[in-house]
Amino acid sequence: MSPTPLPQDPGDGRVPSPDPDPAGAAPPADAPPPDDLVYEHGPGRRVYYAARQRRMDLTALGQLALALPAFLTSALVVLLIGVLLDIGPGVPFWIPLSLWTASGALVFHRPTEDLLARYLFGLRRPMPQEAARLEPVWREVTAVAGVDGARYRLWVQESEGLNALAAAGHIVGVTRYALHQLSSRRLAAVLAHELGHHTGGHTWSLLLCHWYGLPGRLVRRALRALALSLVTPARCAFYVAGGVLLLALGGLDSAVARMLYGLPLLLALPYLSAAVGRRAELRADRHAAVLGFAPDLAEVLEMLHADEPPAQTSVPARLLATHPDVPTRLHHLRRYL
């Protein structure tokens, strides 16, 4: 008997995945039928993973750059809290700032991701029948992309709408409607789109922007709530002080952003953030299209467009939208059809 030959390096920087069954075992007997998706990368087939599983494209960099003023404002808030703790209980002022800075690593912490998925995004883990339907499609999509799909966790959202989401470092969720009503190829196209958000760095950069801007947002909301509450003569001085702090914090935001970007970009910051969000969606669409799912993704978008009522939005509202409209997405997919 001749020895089993070793797998050859394909020469493009990818490494072969572990082969669970070199003899080519068949799928389990209770596996659902493959529907209209041809599972070419099942057990017994060798899959080559890309050397770089994640990238940071220009969209992710743009999200981080636009969030820099909010990050600096939040850093000042945390620093002020540290100074107060240093004066009062005697906690060194640099400890809260260091802990807050290091807390961004929780984006990739699996238990923290589970909490975010359950309580922030309203997701749940798939039931056995749902996992038997979802996991083979996900394996096929990640195999085509050269990505280790085992790194991600699949979730289900109790919703009758057609939707999916990618969040944090490893969260991929689909609605119950999408899971049960879409064909396998259409479901694969939706998952390929969400995988594009992960491989492009959109999910973790967006969550970092929200997380590091949270202290500043909380202080602004608290001061705004104080300003809008019932003012009595006894509390007048307190509310005046709160209003002054609110104006100071807002002025700090403006000063930091103006120093970083200049006044014109400061005024355009909300529109730029929305434009970056729309670009991220188009890049995720392109990721799915390059993998060969452009026709199926186009069919899903047409389903979305048919279910949506005609929108009569103004020009500013369209400029502030974080998702492009369906005709725009279909226009960008035409080159791949």
Side-chain angles (χ1 to χ4, degrees):
M1 175 181 289
S2 60
T4 303
L6 295 176
Q8 299 297 317
D9 187 354
D12 57 357
R14 299 183 296 173
V15 294
S17 66
D19 195 347
D21 187 1
D30 58 349
D35 196 0
D36 55 348
L37 182 65
V38 179
Y39 294 92
E40 298 178 350
H41 303 88
R45 300 298 183 95
R46 188 171 298 279
V47 178
Y48 290 92
Y49 293 154
R52 294 182 60 187
Q53 295 282 291
R54 295 178 185 267
R55 291 176 173 82
M56 181 184 291
D57 61 21
L58 293 178
T59 303
L61 291 174
Q63 289 173 340
L64 295 174
L66 294 175
L68 190 57
F71 169 77
L72 294 177
T73 301
S74 295
L76 180 59
V77 170
V78 176
L79 181 61
L80 291 176
I81 293 174
V83 171
L84 294 177
L85 292 176
D86 196 356
I87 296 175
V91 179
F93 72 92
W94 55 268
I95 291 182
L97 185 62
S98 300
L99 291 176
W100 172 71
T101 304
S103 64
L106 294 175
V107 172
F108 299 99
H109 184 235
R110 295 303 181 94
T112 304
E113 284 188 347
D114 291 348
L115 294 176
L116 291 175
R118 294 182 186 275
Y119 300 107
L120 183 61
F121 302 114
L123 304 175
R124 62 170 174 80
R125 297 307 300 269
M127 291 184 289
Q129 289 184 346
E130 294 172 332
R133 158 82 167 142
L134 184 59
E135 289 174 358
V137 181
W138 176 248
R139 285 197 300 268
E140 182 70 14
V141 170
T142 54
V144 173
V147 173
D148 184 6
R151 297 185 177 186
Y152 298 90
R153 290 188 177 178
L154 301 174
W155 298 83
V156 176
Q157 186 179 48
E158 287 289 345
S159 173
E160 294 301 325
L162 176 54
N163 198 11
L165 65 91
H170 309 91
I171 296 174
V172 177
V174 296
T175 61
R176 188 162 54 91
Y177 175 89
L179 180 60
H180 293 290
Q181 299 300 324
L182 292 181
S183 66
S184 294
R185 289 202 60 87
R186 290 176 179 176
L187 181 60
V190 171
L191 293 175
H193 171 94
E194 302 306 330
L195 180 63
H197 283 307
H198 277 297
T199 57
H202 308 157
T203 54
W204 64 263
S205 63
L206 184 61
L207 190 58
L208 283 181
C209 293
H210 284 287
W211 173 250
Y212 282 122
L214 183 61
R217 290 198 303 273
L218 290 178
V219 171
R220 282 194 294 271
R221 290 178 182 177
L223 295 176
R224 189 179 298 114
L226 289 175
L228 295 177
S229 61
L230 181 63
V231 177
T232 62
R235 298 179 180 178
C236 184
F238 179 77
Y239 287 122
V240 168
V244 171
L245 287 176
L246 181 61
L247 292 175
L249 190 59
L252 176 64
D253 272 346
S254 301
V256 170
R258 187 168 57 250
M259 179 179 62
L260 290 173
Y261 304 116
L263 183 59
L265 283 181
L266 171 62
L267 299 176
L269 197 60
Y271 299 97
L272 291 175
S273 299
V276 170
R278 295 193 297 271
R279 178 56 58 179
E281 293 300 319
L282 294 177
R283 283 183 175 269
D285 284 348
R286 186 177 68 179
H287 178 268
V290 170
L291 296 182
F293 297 106
D296 312 289
L297 183 59
E299 293 173 359
V300 174
L301 292 175
E302 289 172 354
M303 293 173 60
L304 285 173
H305 190 54
D307 293 337
E308 290 179 350
Q312 302 293 335
T313 56
S314 61
V315 174
R318 289 197 296 269
L319 293 177
L320 289 173
T322 57
H323 282 63
D325 55 31
V326 172
T328 300
R329 297 175 68 176
L330 289 173
H331 172 74
H332 285 269
L333 282 176
R334 288 178 60 185
R335 71 184 70 177
Y336 302 99
L337 297 177

